[in-house]
Amino acid sequence: MDSIVVQGGTPLRGQIPIAGAKNACLTLMPATLLSDEPLTLTNAPRLSDIGTMKLLLESLGAEVSALSDGKVLAMSSHGLTSTRADYDIVRKMRASNLVLGPLLAREHQAIVSLPGGCAIGARPMDIHIDALTAMGAEIDLRDGYLHAVARGGLKGARIALRFASVGATENTLMAATLAKGTTIIDNAAREPEIVDLARCLRAMGAQIEGEGTPSIIIQGVDRLHGATHAVVTDRIELGTYMLAPVIAGGEVECLGGRLDLVAAFAERLHAAGIEVTETAKGLKVRRNGERPRAVDVITEPFPGFPTDLQAQMMAMLCTAEGASVLEERIFENRFMHAPELGRMGARIDVQGGVARVTGVDRLRGAPVMATDLRASVSLILAGLAAEGETIVNRVYHLDRGYEQVEQKLSAVGARINRVKGI
Ligand code: UD1
């Protein structure tokens, strides 16, 4: 397994290009299942999760070609051969469940494995199941698989999600495009990735209004056609690299960055005393010498502070002036990076979903273990500020969601490299 080695203490200066959004691309790719005409995505990120979704779609009989060095995905689902998403692929990535809505809509049936590590029964997909059931699907859980059938096709319905789940909103939105009649999704998630999905579906001929608000209205159509769509900028990669100069010092311009994608996050940086400015090409972040101030953070659905930036923000707050409180409200167990940061000298006290971080003058490099995708990048960020060498082990998590992290950070002056493992 590869490791990343970081020598801390160098201020950063320069530009970092931000890729297309992983989470948008992972929901745009299954949208190909809704049509027998080609769907082409441009600005796709080059990540192992995208490769996993490609394998899943191919296992269903779709054709997926990665062109232009992987930045363009040309897909076609004219000859689907299967409606079964196998455990072997789904266990690698929860987002595999996003084939459920499209398969039900187009093929009127789907068998989709539940992702691994689930609580007893169907709880982690209960919101998806309730929504699709309201549209006339019959869904049973057997042998770890959801068996879903929509006899005579899905029907439009008014659906209030119990929680604004991103995945459930995406599955329901895709399913509703080909349902008979009108679907209204209340308490819909408002994330930019959902807006991007709605734009792509509209380019394919879907009738959708209200994306980005809590009520999405979809008028079902008989068929969708082909389209070409550019994937929206990755706001999580953007926020991650915005934090790099805050932690290491210096000034970095994130190319393609947009303030509307990271408004709640940028507001917290501002409160911490960090300058964020919009430029013609993106967003520029500068730390002028002083340590950032401690700030409190609560993760919430969009437009609130994203849970996917919580670990990176914690890495920054470890060296801030004063004590901060971070409250994680989306996922129950998302502070696995805290003990690893502790190995680098951070002072973090975790009680349930609340972490208290007392800023220290300086972190010290150490060997640490990446436990998940965002945790791994938070350890790299911490390494940029630490004295000496930080070795981040198990970086396969990182490759799921960050393309060319070493190249992007070394281009702005960081001393970082990858050590190939067995
Ligand atoms: C998506 C993102 C992920 C991000 C998360 C929250 C993708 C591929 N992944 O994940 O990076 O961290 O949004 O912004 O886009 N839940 C249920 N029942 C359900 C569905 C969800 O209880 O049927 C719970 C989950 O266990 C979790 C919370 O709701 O605690 C949020 O989940 P959700 O918004 O669905 O996240 P994902 O779509 O899985």
Side-chain angles (χ1 to χ4, degrees):
M1 270 182 269
D2 294 2
S3 309
I4 299 255
V5 181
V6 187
Q7 306 284 343
T10 321
L12 309 179
R13 209 160 290 280
Q15 298 176 320
I16 298 182
I18 305 301
K22 169 181 85 77
N23 286 351
C25 203
L26 288 176
T27 186
L28 291 163
M29 291 175 76
T32 184
L33 300 171
L34 291 163
S35 171
D36 57 4
E37 292 184 20
L39 174 63
T40 300
L41 299 176
T42 60
N43 197 36
R46 289 156 298 171
L47 303 167
S48 65
D49 269 8
I50 301 300
T52 304
M53 184 57 85
K54 178 176 185 285
L55 281 180
L56 175 58
L57 294 174
E58 286 170 344
S59 77
L60 303 172
E63 290 162 19
V64 183
S65 312
L67 311 172
S68 300
D69 195 23
K71 282 193 172 176
V72 173
L73 296 171
M75 301 176 290
S76 172
S77 301
H78 64 272
L80 293 183
T81 51
S82 164
T83 51
R84 181 186 165 95
D86 229 70
Y87 176 65
D88 272 351
I89 299 182
V90 178
R91 72 184 166 84
K92 290 189 190 149
M93 186 178 72
R94 179 175 162 83
S96 307
N97 64 28
L98 293 169
V99 300
L100 176 62
L103 284 176
L104 257 180
R106 168 126 171 249
E107 301 291 311
H108 302 177
Q109 58 176 13
I111 302 176
V112 176
S113 169
L114 277 181
C118 287
I120 299 166
R123 185 200 153 264
M125 284 196 65
D126 58 343
I127 306 173
H128 304 239
I129 294 169
D130 288 351
L132 295 169
T133 304
M135 296 173 76
E138 291 163 34
I139 305 180
D140 300 320
L141 175 63
R142 292 200 301 273
D143 312 325
Y145 282 78
L146 294 174
H147 293 249
V149 192
R151 288 174 225 287
L154 292 169
K155 295 172 205 61
R158 184 152 196 161
I159 298 158
L161 304 183
R162 119 177 126 69
F163 172 81
S165 152
V166 174
T169 303
E170 291 166 344
N171 250 330
T172 313
L173 175 57
M174 287 191 274
T177 58
L178 293 179
K180 284 194 195 76
T182 307
T183 299
I184 301 175
I185 311 174
D186 289 321
N187 196 26
R190 289 181 273 169
E191 270 66 3
E193 293 74 28
I194 300 214
V195 173
D196 203 39
L197 173 63
R199 285 197 181 134
C200 174
L201 293 170
R202 208 181 285 122
M204 295 169 74
Q207 292 192 16
I208 303 168
E209 279 171 51
E211 73 275 12
T213 79
S215 265
I216 308 180
I217 304 166
I218 308 111
Q219 191 70 53
V221 294
D222 287 342
R223 59 184 299 274
L224 295 182
H225 52 70
T228 297
H229 175 84
V231 180
V232 68
T233 298
D234 195 317
R235 65 197 167 96
I236 306 303
E237 192 195 26
L238 170 63
T240 302
Y241 288 127
M242 284 170 75
L243 281 168
V246 181
I247 289 175
E251 180 178 295
V252 167
E253 186 178 17
C254 294
L255 303 176
R258 279 169 30 199
L259 205 50
D260 63 308
L261 295 175
V262 286
F265 165 74
E267 185 280 321
R268 291 289 75 194
L269 286 191
H270 183 71
I274 300 301
E275 240 178 81
V276 178
T277 42
E278 289 186 270
T279 66
K281 292 184 190 157
L283 293 178
K284 193 178 273 184
V285 180
R286 185 154 76 105
R287 185 182 119 193
N288 37 18
E290 314 213 330
R291 279 164 68 188
R293 289 191 293 272
V295 288
D296 294 343
V297 172
I298 298 176
T299 64
E300 283 171 316
F302 193 86
F305 190 101
T307 174
D308 286 352
L309 283 174
Q310 179 259 107
Q312 301 88 314
M313 190 72 173
M314 183 186 281
M316 186 279 263
L317 294 173
C318 287
T319 55
E321 191 91 53
S324 312
V325 177
L326 273 96
E327 196 176 332
E328 172 57 60
R329 289 205 186 155
I330 308 291
F331 291 103
E332 295 140 27
N333 185 22
R334 210 177 196 189
F335 285 133
M336 273 119 66
H337 41 283
E340 298 299 315
L341 290 167
R343 292 173 49 76
M344 300 174 71
R347 287 178 55 199
I348 306 167
D349 174 35
V350 175
Q351 304 277 344
V354 177
R356 280 167 212 284
V357 182
T358 307
V360 295
D361 276 349
R362 192 154 270 293
L363 296 173
R364 292 181 303 276
V368 286
M369 192 78 86
T371 48
D372 69 45
L373 169 54
R374 307 304 170 186
S376 30
V377 85
S378 77
L379 297 171
I380 291 177
L381 288 178
L384 295 174
E387 219 167 63
E389 184 176 270
T390 298
I391 303 168
V392 184
N393 293 303
R394 287 213 196 157
V395 291
Y396 60 87
H397 291 293
L398 188 77
D399 299 329
R400 292 186 46 204
Y402 289 89
E403 67 170 47
Q404 303 185 324
V405 69
E406 316 90 274
Q407 289 89 330
K408 288 189 183 187
L409 283 172
S410 44
V412 293
R415 288 181 294 164
I416 176 170
N417 58 293
R418 180 180 289 249
V419 177
K420 288 272 171 210
I422 319 149

